[in-house]
Amino acid sequence: MTQIRVAIIGAGGIGGAHLNAYGAWASLCQIVGIADVQLEAAQAKAAQVDCAAFADYGQMLDEVQPEAISICTPPNMHLPVAQAAAARGIHVLCEKPPARTLAETQALVDAMAQSGALLQFAFCHRFHQPIVQAQDLLKSGRLGQLVQIENRFGFRFARAGHSWFTEREIAGGGILIDTLVHSIDIFRALAGEVRTAAAAVSTTLPIQVEDSASLLLTSESGVIGTLTCSWVTPVSEAKVRMYGTEGEAVVDYNGPHGLCYRLAGDDTWNLMPFDQPDRFTLQAGHFLECIKFGAQPLVSGQDGLAVMRVIEDAYKGIA
Ligand SMILES: NC(=O)c1ccc[n+]([C@@H]2O[C@H](COP(=O)([O-])OP(=O)(O)OC[C@H]3O[C@@H](n4cnc5c(N)ncnc54)[C@H](O)[C@@H]3O)[C@@H](O)[C@H]2O)c1
């Protein structure tokens, strides 16, 4: 098979991460175009891989005819770009959040389903090795019955108040839809489908949207989730902690190890190795392999819809 022709739309921070990730799979794909309304941003990234740069993504899709794209624009453009790809039968790897609302996400998923092309939402934590190790440990039953999950993503976000991230019309909301969207996906990957969700939010900065949020979830199987996120706390923290009836486990994104776990009676933590490429590289490789073999992506349109149902319920509950 020849290399899959891939284009990237949105040449900002995450567009760069996708570009680097595809670079690790050079035998599987070739970057054929990069589009950004800021043409200089597209040109700077295109120069790295010697491909064409465009200011208009529709023109790029027609001219370079990619087989697959990464949507790396702000959320207000996820639906229109996906619809343009669907109309041309192009496979899509779409950044989180899936879109600004559940209705937009449904329209995006429907358009892609009608096209017959693949849709993968970029819930990248599914490809983080310690999260996969946690899924395996839970499946093995060694932690006993899973009872509770705690997750925190906290940091001081320099772009809050100075970018589209805090403009409701573009982002669809604040940290709940931007960051807790990852937390909900991680909770679903570890505990299964969400049954109930209640949110609390607050805003410390002079911005339109919430900069801190907590979610209390229960899963269909009765697992309780406490998920907290903030853009205004200075100590960077990214942790998922699981408690079962026979032990507990921790994924610390800032730590040197993979999954750490301790069973009833253990005096010390068991440390798992962390030796795989980063999650963005693995995510891109999975997308390309699904295209190559005609397989369904691990993170499907239905996963995007399930997460957005929780987000929508959470926002309704605090309205
Ligand atoms: N998976 C993750 O961990 C992660 C991390 C950061 C951002 N993201 C997501 O990635 C997306 C982009 O975020 P970012 O941090 O790269 O933002 P960014 O502002 O750095 O980059 C976005 C780029 O999109 C371009 N753009 C805007 N409208 C466009 C249009 N109509 N056509 C073409 N280009 C357009 C902008 O000019 C900008 O260069 C968002 O959905 C964000 O939530 C995901």
Side-chain angles (χ1 to χ4, degrees):
M1 186 182 175
T2 53
Q3 290 163 302
I4 297 163
R5 296 164 55 76
V6 178
I8 294 173
I9 299 167
I14 209 69
H18 282 237
L19 183 61
N20 291 340
Y22 286 121
W25 305 102
S27 62
L28 275 178
C29 72
Q30 179 195 6
I31 302 293
V32 292
I34 299 180
D36 197 299
V37 281
Q38 298 179 65
L39 182 59
E40 315 76 56
Q43 284 168 333
K45 295 249 178 341
Q48 292 175 29
V49 288
D50 196 21
C51 73
F54 296 82
D56 180 332
Y57 69 87
Q59 183 192 350
M60 178 182 75
L61 297 182
D62 288 335
E63 282 189 23
V64 304
Q65 301 192 346
E67 295 161 81
I69 59 168
S70 273
I71 302 180
C72 299
T73 61
N76 63 321
M77 291 306 297
H78 291 186
L79 173 60
V81 176
Q83 285 171 326
R88 295 163 174 85
I90 297 170
H91 307 296
V92 167
L93 174 58
C94 178
E95 262 307 333
K96 51 59 52 177
R100 290 176 298 183
T101 61
L102 179 59
E104 278 192 0
T105 306
Q106 187 70 62
L108 191 163
V109 170
D110 289 347
M112 291 304 300
Q114 276 165 21
S115 81
L118 288 186
L119 168 63
Q120 180 177 332
F121 283 120
F123 285 124
C124 55
H125 296 268
R126 297 284 196 98
F127 299 91
H128 187 55
Q129 188 189 11
I131 292 291
V132 177
Q133 291 169 331
Q135 286 178 302
D136 290 343
L137 184 68
L138 289 169
K139 259 187 227 136
S140 77
R142 297 181 70 204
L143 285 191
Q145 186 182 337
L146 182 60
V147 181
Q148 288 162 316
I149 295 178
E150 289 170 4
N151 165 225
R152 175 163 181 80
F153 290 123
F155 53 105
R156 188 170 270 160
F157 187 34
R159 296 183 72 182
H162 308 287
S163 69
W164 62 262
F165 278 94
T166 42
E167 286 181 41
R168 190 182 302 282
E169 264 310 295
I170 298 177
I175 195 167
L176 221 165
I177 191 165
D178 178 75
T179 309
L180 268 168
V181 80
H182 278 308
S183 306
I184 297 164
D185 181 64
I186 293 168
F187 179 84
R188 291 181 66 248
L190 298 172
E193 208 48 80
V194 175
R195 187 164 59 85
T196 63
V201 300
S202 73
T203 305
T204 310
L205 298 168
I207 56 176
Q208 296 175 353
V209 294
E210 74 282 355
D211 57 36
S212 303
S214 297
L215 255 186
L216 189 59
L217 302 182
T218 55
S219 75
E220 294 287 359
S221 60
V223 179
I224 299 167
T226 320
L227 318 180
T228 72
C229 288
S230 181
W231 281 334
V232 296
T233 50
V235 180
S236 173
E237 227 185 338
K239 265 189 198 155
V240 182
R241 198 161 185 136
M242 292 139 270
Y243 299 91
T245 53
E246 300 300 327
E248 64 184 81
V250 183
V251 175
D252 182 352
Y253 287 73
N254 297 329
H257 306 294
L259 182 73
C260 304
Y261 68 95
R262 202 163 57 170
L263 303 181
D266 283 349
D267 291 330
T268 54
W269 289 91
N270 302 286
L271 310 177
M272 311 259 308
F274 184 17
D275 52 15
Q276 284 192 356
D278 79 347
R279 54 186 181 271
F280 296 105
T281 302
L282 294 170
Q283 170 178 267
H286 177 75
F287 179 54
L288 295 168
E289 297 229 314
C290 286
I291 294 171
K292 183 174 170 182
F293 297 112
Q296 273 310 305
L298 177 66
V299 191
S300 66
Q302 296 310 311
D303 289 299
L305 285 167
V307 168
M308 288 303 292
R309 272 185 212 110
V310 178
I311 294 282
E312 195 117 315
D313 280 355
Y315 275 128
K316 271 189 200 142
I318 54 175

